[in-house]
Amino acid sequence: MSVRELDTTTVKALVEDAAAAPSMHNAQPWRFRFRRADSTFRLYADLERAMPHADPTTRGLHLGCAAALLNLRIAATHAGWAPVTELLPDPADTRLLAVVRLTSPALAVNEFVEDLAPLYPAVHRRHTSRQPFTDEPIPQAIKDALCAAALLEGGHLVFPSAWHVETLLDLVHDAEGRDAMDSAASEELRQWTRTGTGAAEAASDGVPENAFGPRERSGRAPVRDFAGRHPVPGRAAAAFENTPQLAILGTAGDGPRDWLLAGQAMERVLLQATLDGLSTSLTSQALEWPELRWAVRDPESAMGFIQMVLRLGYGPAGPGTPRRPVHEVLDIE
């Protein structure tokens, strides 16, 4: 058993840190249950926040929940605990994605517990940026560190060659065209968009208009435009990168466990990038169409399945987006 008990304030603080994670359209599709009896957190998928059209397999939902899982592990380590994690512990309950048991580092002698605390300062600093980035290249040493971060969580990060970047951009453009012509896709996106001063200020989820970023006047950055065809008063236009710096994150397999590994790897890369002074955004449009997703993969890479495309670079950090109150995502037993 643990050498000290977690009080309610600490439990809530840990979940608040976990919930700072990114998720598709900022839906925050997670629920946590803390059991005092054994000092464990249980992470559940909130299927009421799934997106049947854009994410019919819930792959994206798993990525977001896994990002929150990594944040929880980081926050627990920062608070002096050793988080021992088990993925998909109950085959009979597919909503239960992970169990995290907190114990003293001194009592976790038979477990591999990594010191994740150095990543903690980035947990609340990391925000998706839909702003233009500069053309300043990312140093190779930083790229190597980001690739290593993905490997530590069971993922694989690759910086594609110039010809593959062109292919990726073409696929994203194709996906954008399909989305624009698909009424169901447009409606689902609209449900998670918060426009108008009152709606944006009152929101606890979704993407508010202050996080849309400027309209793309020129450039080829793969940034999803949450405004769609609806103009936002006062929204500026800007020139984006012509040659965005992209990375692709993948796994060997493509099942729920692989998605949970990928989500933790994704968040670890994003946090490390934040610490390294990079701005980041995620690009999943082409991955939301099965007939396009297979083409995202680099045939020269051994990577099996692409789980996310990341845009990285130097530029303005994105604004914070709303978060659900802790009491809505946490139960304490």
Side-chain angles (χ1 to χ4, degrees):
M1 60 183 294
S2 303
V3 295
R4 56 192 171 95
E5 183 177 338
L6 275 81
D7 58 78
T8 299
T9 299
T10 300
V11 171
K12 290 181 177 179
L14 292 175
V15 170
E16 183 177 2
D17 290 336
S23 58
M24 190 173 185
H25 302 355
N26 193 31
Q28 304 165 55
W30 45 66
R31 289 198 64 86
F32 294 88
R33 182 175 298 161
F34 180 72
R35 290 183 17 171
R36 295 188 186 278
D38 54 4
S39 295
T40 61
F41 283 95
R42 281 164 167 72
L43 170 62
Y44 291 87
D46 186 346
L47 297 180
E48 293 184 0
R49 292 176 170 269
M51 298 176 194
H53 189 83
D55 186 32
T57 65
T58 70
R59 183 184 63 85
L61 181 148
H62 279 71
L63 293 179
C65 288
L69 173 60
L70 181 78
N71 278 4
L72 177 64
R73 292 167 52 210
I74 291 169
T77 305
H78 173 74
W81 297 88
V84 180
T85 305
E86 181 182 2
L87 301 180
L88 303 174
D90 185 359
D93 186 356
T94 57
R95 295 179 306 113
L96 178 57
L97 304 183
V99 172
V100 180
R101 177 172 57 87
L102 302 188
T103 186
S104 165
L107 298 179
V109 293
N110 295 323
E111 304 280 355
F112 173 74
V113 179
E114 185 183 5
D115 182 12
L116 295 165
L119 293 169
Y120 184 78
V123 165
H124 290 280
R125 283 173 45 200
R126 181 222 59 81
H127 301 302
T128 296
S129 177
R130 299 182 182 90
Q131 297 286 335
F133 296 165
T134 71
D135 292 328
E136 179 182 353
I138 301 171
Q140 188 60 47
I142 290 181
K143 290 182 177 181
D144 291 343
L146 298 179
C147 293
L151 284 173
L152 288 170
E153 297 300 333
H156 188 45
L157 188 75
V158 170
F159 286 85
S161 61
W163 73 265
H164 191 203
V165 168
E166 291 298 315
T167 299
L168 289 172
L169 295 176
D170 288 342
L171 291 169
V172 170
H173 181 72
D174 189 351
E176 289 172 341
R178 292 172 182 233
D179 288 342
M181 298 298 293
D182 190 311
S183 59
S186 298
E187 174 59 22
E188 191 170 77
L189 184 67
R190 188 198 63 78
Q191 292 175 4
W192 295 101
T193 300
R194 310 290 180 244
T195 56
T197 303
E201 291 180 350
S204 61
D205 59 14
V207 181
E209 64 179 58
N210 72 320
F212 288 2
R215 290 184 295 106
E216 194 170 16
R217 184 176 65 237
S218 62
R220 303 184 66 199
V223 178
R224 191 192 298 267
D225 189 351
F226 280 86
R229 299 179 179 179
H230 305 286
V232 176
R235 186 186 183 202
F240 283 73
E241 315 96 277
N242 284 317
T243 308
Q245 300 182 81
L246 305 181
I248 52 177
L249 177 73
T251 50
D254 197 35
R257 182 179 179 83
D258 302 291
W259 303 337
L260 294 176
L261 294 175
Q264 291 179 92
M266 175 189 74
E267 178 70 344
R268 185 156 185 158
V269 169
L270 294 174
L271 296 177
Q272 185 61 55
T274 301
L275 292 178
D276 288 335
L278 295 173
S279 293
T280 64
S281 64
L282 302 173
T283 300
S284 63
Q285 293 100 308
L287 305 179
E288 294 161 18
W289 293 89
E291 60 270 36
L292 298 181
R293 186 185 173 206
W294 70 270
V296 174
R297 180 179 174 274
D298 184 347
E300 296 182 356
S301 169
M303 187 183 298
F305 297 90
I306 306 301
Q307 306 296 351
M308 185 58 66
V309 179
L310 290 74
R311 170 178 168 252
L312 308 165
Y314 296 97
T321 48
R323 286 296 182 269
R324 301 168 67 192
V326 170
H327 68 81
E328 289 188 8
V329 299
L330 171 65
D331 298 312
I332 301 178
E333 297 178 353

